[in-house]
Amino acid sequence: MKAWTYLLLLFTMFTSCSSNSESQKLIWYNNATINNILEDPDKPEEVVRVAIGISAQVFYLSKKSPDYKTMMEKVDLSFKKGKTYNIGVESKTNIIKEINEVK
């Protein structure tokens, strides 16, 4: 019984310490669709402007992100076909960090 307690404690410590601090800074837009995609005139080599929702709030998709290609495909699918996603935006930079399927 004591071994199980130590294993549970170890597992709890491991999972709590390994949480991604970036995910705590994300603002989520659930069941959102993309209304517009534009090259940013100020930084065309760095970001793409993405408008989310009916009120067309503008956010940015970084071209330097390792997931840029995958996220751009999802953004394009949402814009062209109206597919909805859960979109995580970094709170102070307005940069899209995650785009997840709606479950």
Side-chain angles (χ1 to χ4, degrees):
M1 186 71 169
K2 210 173 195 184
W4 285 108
T5 305
Y6 287 120
L7 285 174
L8 181 62
L9 180 62
L10 182 64
F11 176 74
T12 305
M13 288 177 57
F14 178 73
T15 56
S16 66
C17 293
S18 66
S19 69
N20 188 352
S21 63
E22 273 189 36
S23 66
Q24 296 172 358
K25 299 177 189 176
L26 296 182
I27 298 170
W28 287 94
Y29 295 85
N30 295 322
N31 297 314
T33 56
I34 304 302
N35 290 349
N36 203 355
I37 304 168
L38 297 170
E39 289 293 326
D40 187 83
D42 299 327
K43 301 176 186 176
E45 65 282 340
E46 292 182 28
V47 293
V48 175
R49 286 185 184 181
V50 177
I52 299 175
I54 296 171
S55 63
Q57 296 175 334
V58 176
F59 300 100
Y60 301 94
L61 185 57
S62 174
K63 290 183 177 181
K64 295 179 180 180
S65 169
D67 298 328
Y68 172 74
K69 186 176 178 180
T70 305
M71 287 195 290
M72 190 62 193
E73 288 172 359
K74 290 178 181 178
V75 165
D76 195 46
L77 184 63
S78 179
F79 178 60
K80 290 181 179 174
K81 304 277 183 170
K83 184 163 174 58
T84 59
Y85 290 100
N86 295 331
I87 302 172
V89 177
E90 194 172 38
S91 62
K92 294 186 181 178
T93 64
N94 285 346
I95 294 176
I96 297 170
K97 293 291 186 176
E98 289 186 44
I99 301 176
N100 300 327
E101 299 284 332
V102 175
K103 294 179 183 180

